[in-house]
């Protein structure tokens, strides 16, 4: 099954970085967040990716075209012009890079990928969110429900610290934890090819009419994930993800 990653947005809320590079190329622990995401799927055996490009697409293309160079130790004989790879990445991914328009919306980007998906079930997520979601269980759930689409529902990260109070005493203080109330769209979708009937053109926003209509028609399932999830909307989010890495193996690994 192929994995689509949406990587074409402008990333305006983290413009400290996206003035120069697309959001999925922002590095977490010296590795672009997009490859962190790819590793989540790869861990479960899904190694064929289609990346929907848009804003600064050339940066992502250049990275993957030179992936072996960027992720290897090299010995270079300048006189002979020969390069020897001393230590290389063991990732055996197949990556398809597709320009889906600079201003296309999320649904429009997916629509432009139709010919690459061969009328088959596929997975999709955003290029800025990591999670310890069990991909195998997600797919199993999707098949069991028999819907056109499955969305991974996650607990949002609290914007501020969360207090638990009993009899006017704070019994627990958590600095920006995931909340225990409510669910939000966490990405990590599974789609049947029928989803393309709900996508009209480049202006289609997946999260608006298509998913709303699917929910009205009872064709959208929610895989509820209580574990780790975090998206990178702002520099503060990036710093939090960096901290997870510096403290050891991050939760999504």
């Amino acid at each position: 099954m192929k994995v689509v990653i949406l990587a074409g947005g402008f990333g305006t809320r983290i413009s400290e970085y996206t003035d120069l590079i697309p959001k999925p190329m922002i590095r977490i622990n010296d590795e672009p967040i997009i490859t962190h995401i790819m590793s989540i799927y790869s861990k479960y055996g899904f190694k064929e990716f289609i990346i929907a490009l848009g804003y600064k697409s050339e940066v992502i293309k250049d990275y993957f075209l030179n992936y072996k160079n960027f992720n290897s130790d090299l010995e270079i004989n300048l006189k002979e012009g020969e390069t020897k790879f001393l230590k290389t990445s063991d990732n055996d991914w197949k990556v398809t890079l597709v320009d889906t328009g600079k201003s296309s919306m999320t649904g429009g980007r997916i629509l432009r990928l139709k010919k690459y998906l061969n009328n088959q079930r596929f997975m999709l997520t955003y290029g800025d969110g990591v999670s310890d979601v069990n991909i195998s269980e997600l797919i199993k759930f999707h098949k069991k429900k028999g819907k056109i689409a499955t969305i991974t529902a996650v607990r949002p990260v609290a914007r501020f610290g969360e207090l638990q109070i009993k009899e006017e005493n704070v019994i627990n203080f958590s600095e920006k934890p995931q909340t225990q109330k409510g669910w939000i769209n966490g990405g990590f979708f599974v789609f049947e090819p029928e989803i393309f009937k709900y996508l009209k053109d480049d202006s289609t926003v997946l999260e608006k009419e298509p998913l709303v209509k699917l929910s009205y028609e009872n064709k959208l399932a929610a895989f509820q994930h209580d574990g780790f999830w975090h998206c990178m909307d702002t520099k503060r989010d990036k710093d939090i993800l960096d901290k997870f890495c510096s403290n050891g193996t991050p939760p999504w690994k």
Side-chain angles (χ1 to χ4, degrees):
M1 195 186 313
K2 296 180 181 179
V3 180
V4 172
I5 301 178
L6 296 176
F10 290 99
T12 53
R13 284 183 287 184
I14 192 168
S15 59
E16 301 97 322
Y17 300 95
T18 55
D19 281 348
L20 298 174
I21 59 174
K23 191 176 182 183
M25 290 302 296
I26 296 174
R27 291 179 174 263
I28 303 299
N29 194 33
D30 203 34
E31 177 186 347
I33 191 169
I34 192 169
T35 57
H36 282 274
I37 297 166
M38 294 165 76
S39 294
I40 295 169
Y41 287 98
S42 181
K43 181 170 65 174
Y44 291 93
F46 298 98
K47 301 180 180 183
E48 191 167 353
F49 300 92
I50 303 176
I51 301 178
L53 305 174
Y55 176 67
K56 293 190 179 295
S57 61
E58 68 280 0
V59 177
I60 299 179
K61 286 182 177 180
D62 182 67
Y63 178 77
F64 283 104
L65 280 169
N66 294 285
Y67 184 86
K68 191 172 182 178
N69 291 339
F70 290 144
N71 292 278
S72 303
D73 292 337
L74 306 173
E75 180 183 286
I76 304 172
N77 185 322
L78 297 180
K79 183 177 180 179
E80 303 297 332
E82 296 176 350
T83 301
K84 181 186 293 185
F85 293 93
L86 305 178
K87 181 182 178 183
T88 63
S89 168
D90 58 359
N91 288 326
D92 54 346
W93 301 339
K94 180 179 178 181
V95 183
T96 302
L97 303 164
V98 183
D99 281 308
T100 56
K102 285 189 177 181
S103 300
S104 299
M105 297 293 102
T106 48
R109 295 191 188 283
I110 300 167
L111 183 59
R112 288 204 187 197
L113 300 177
K114 184 177 180 180
K115 65 181 179 181
Y116 298 100
L117 291 164
N118 303 320
N119 200 38
Q120 296 179 346
R121 178 186 297 136
F122 65 96
M123 291 183 282
L124 176 140
T125 197
Y126 304 107
D128 63 357
V130 289
S131 176
D132 63 356
V133 59
N134 186 312
I135 301 298
S136 295
E137 290 298 318
L138 168 62
I139 295 170
K140 182 179 177 181
F141 173 86
H142 174 78
K143 291 178 178 178
K144 179 181 177 181
K145 297 298 289 185
K147 308 290 186 181
I148 290 177
T150 294
I151 185 173
T152 297
V154 299
R155 302 289 192 183
V157 177
R159 184 178 176 188
F160 304 104
E162 186 173 76
L163 304 178
Q164 292 182 18
I165 301 173
K166 183 177 181 180
E167 296 177 355
E168 299 181 338
N169 296 312
V170 176
I171 59 173
N172 185 56
F173 175 84
S174 299
E175 179 63 11
K176 299 178 180 62
Q178 285 179 256
T179 66
Q180 296 304 307
K181 296 180 180 179
W183 298 91
I184 63 170
N185 168 17
F188 296 93
F189 297 90
V190 186
F191 288 114
E192 297 298 323
E194 286 80 6
I195 185 61
F196 290 104
K197 297 176 183 177
Y198 296 78
L199 308 176
K200 295 180 180 178
D201 53 34
D202 284 353
S203 67
T204 302
V205 179
L206 174 68
E207 300 79 5
K208 292 187 177 179
E209 185 177 340
L211 292 186
V212 170
K213 189 173 182 180
L214 284 170
S215 67
Y216 286 158
E217 295 176 354
N218 193 29
K219 295 177 181 177
L220 176 63
F223 181 73
Q224 294 175 293
H225 175 61
D226 270 311
F228 178 86
W229 174 87
H230 205 294
C231 67
M232 187 184 63
D233 273 339
T234 65
K235 184 179 183 300
R236 176 178 290 180
D237 293 322
K238 173 188 160 26
D239 292 342
I240 291 171
L241 293 175
D242 277 329
K243 187 174 180 181
F244 275 117
C245 293
S246 65
N247 289 340
T249 303
W252 61 90
K253 290 285 189 177

